[in-house]
Amino acid sequence: MCTTCGCGNGETRIEKRTASLRNHEAFLTEKTPVEHNINKIESFTKVFSNSKLIEVEKSILSKNDHFAELNRKCLIENNVCALNLLSSPGAGKTSLLTRTIESLLSKAPPVTAETNHKQSTIAVIEGDQETSHDAARIRATGVPAIQINTGKGCHLDAHMVGHALEAFDLSKLSTLFIENVGNLVCPAGFDLGEQAKVVILSVTEGEDKPLKYPGMFHVADLLLLNKIDLLPYLAFELDTCIENARKVNPAIEVIKLSAQTGEGMDQWLEWLSRRQYKQAST
């Protein structure tokens, strides 16, 4: 359930898959509805006083934060760097993610008895309201992915992610990408246990988005300005967009890139490398 709109009570489906890195093609096909404790709260369709609404919102977030801490502890214990990727629909999250994975795999050292294969092992949790199209695109890169379909839900929560984590052998992972549902509002309020939040904004969306959706940009550690190859064809003020983002969050880092041409990808991969090192040294 969302603290903003009360969506998606009891409609989540998580693929039941054997996501072992040794054999991530050994998948089961059925999907099973998952009941979440954070959804066992009075429906938002009832009329609440302001005090009751605040009480329910606190209850939802406190339950989510509990599950997020369990996820975080598990990820830290296994030295897994988890990143929460956020954007509106169509910003290019999946295209950027597939290119990122391909780049990371191409740069990974060959696995030998002397090398630590955790340096290159990657997995993905995909969040969408329906379909498993994006998860299929991820698996085509050779990386295991678990699909979470949220039904009417507009975001992932920590309990959903915790169930998905059970499908992976975390001891063999170094990096986990969590591709959240496309939405610049509700996902901002839910900690998943990740190390960092990365918001992806396409230059086709307008430079005022950080001001229109300040909650998302306020919690983000990094802003990826995607599709910069289209700038010659758009009336998009790049500097104004960055200025707007830093009005909301002065500490936000910014990288300009294109998943299509590869421009700026080296900066993004270097940022990832720093995050992976930070996690490993925690």
Side-chain angles (χ1 to χ4, degrees):
M1 180 183 288
C2 177
T3 60
T4 303
C5 63
C7 65
N9 193 10
E11 294 194 352
T12 302
R13 302 184 307 279
I14 301 177
E15 288 179 320
K16 295 181 68 175
R17 293 176 175 268
T18 303
S20 166
L21 292 173
R22 292 178 182 272
N23 182 16
H24 60 263
E25 295 180 354
F27 294 124
L28 301 178
T29 57
E30 68 270 20
K31 296 181 182 180
T32 303
V34 176
E35 184 178 8
H36 297 286
N37 291 333
I38 65 170
N39 290 331
K40 294 179 180 177
I41 299 172
E42 285 185 89
S43 171
F44 272 86
T45 57
K46 295 182 179 179
V47 178
F48 291 105
S49 65
N50 287 339
S51 61
K52 184 64 175 177
L53 185 59
I54 291 170
E55 180 184 338
V56 171
E57 182 169 338
K58 285 182 177 177
S59 179
I60 292 171
L61 290 177
S62 65
K63 288 178 183 291
N64 182 80
D65 289 346
H66 168 71
F67 289 118
E69 284 307 311
L70 293 176
N71 292 347
R72 184 172 290 107
K73 180 180 178 182
C74 183
L75 292 164
I76 289 174
E77 287 176 349
N78 287 279
N79 292 324
V80 178
C81 176
L83 301 175
N84 186 0
L85 305 183
L86 307 133
S87 79
S88 59
K93 281 198 308 298
T94 310
S95 295
L96 176 59
L97 184 50
T98 55
R99 179 142 194 167
T100 299
I101 291 168
E102 289 165 354
S103 297
L104 289 173
L105 294 177
S106 70
K107 294 175 181 293
V111 177
T112 68
E114 290 75 31
T115 61
N116 178 7
H117 61 280
K118 273 182 69 72
Q119 293 176 359
S120 61
T121 51
I122 305 163
V124 175
I125 295 174
E126 274 290 338
D128 286 298
Q129 288 190 315
E130 297 294 343
T131 82
S132 58
H133 295 165
D134 288 349
R137 290 174 63 186
I138 297 301
R139 292 179 199 127
T141 68
V143 162
I146 291 293
Q147 180 74 55
I148 300 177
N149 288 127
T150 59
K152 293 181 181 179
C154 57
H155 61 90
L156 296 177
D157 64 46
H159 197 199
M160 300 174 193
V161 169
H163 277 292
L165 288 177
E166 294 170 0
F168 298 110
D169 182 351
L170 296 179
S171 69
K172 294 181 171 61
L173 286 182
S174 64
T175 307
L176 174 70
F177 293 104
I178 305 169
E179 185 175 352
N180 219 310
V181 178
N183 180 354
L184 282 178
V185 183
C186 304
F190 287 80
D191 182 8
L192 305 181
E194 73 274 10
Q195 186 193 105
K197 289 181 173 67
V198 178
V199 62
I200 299 157
L201 180 67
S202 163
V203 298
T204 60
E205 296 178 76
E207 60 272 3
D208 57 350
K209 284 296 186 292
L211 301 180
K212 286 186 173 182
Y213 305 97
M216 178 63 72
F217 293 85
H218 177 72
V219 299
D221 299 274
L222 174 67
L223 167 60
L224 294 179
L225 280 169
N226 193 22
K227 303 185 183 181
I228 60 170
D229 53 302
L230 298 179
L231 282 173
Y233 313 102
L234 301 169
F236 182 88
E237 297 292 336
L238 200 63
D239 291 340
T240 300
C241 182
I242 296 171
E243 180 183 341
N244 288 339
R246 288 183 171 147
K247 284 179 181 177
V248 174
N249 180 358
I252 196 169
E253 296 184 70
V254 180
I255 295 174
K256 296 166 281 187
L257 52 72
S258 167
Q260 183 68 30
T261 67
E263 184 179 356
M265 285 296 295
D266 286 344
Q267 288 177 272
W268 162 230
L269 294 175
E270 196 273 332
W271 187 92
L272 277 175
S273 178
R274 293 201 311 270
R275 282 288 171 169
Q276 290 165 338
Y277 176 80
K278 181 178 180 180
Q279 181 65 56
S281 60
T282 299

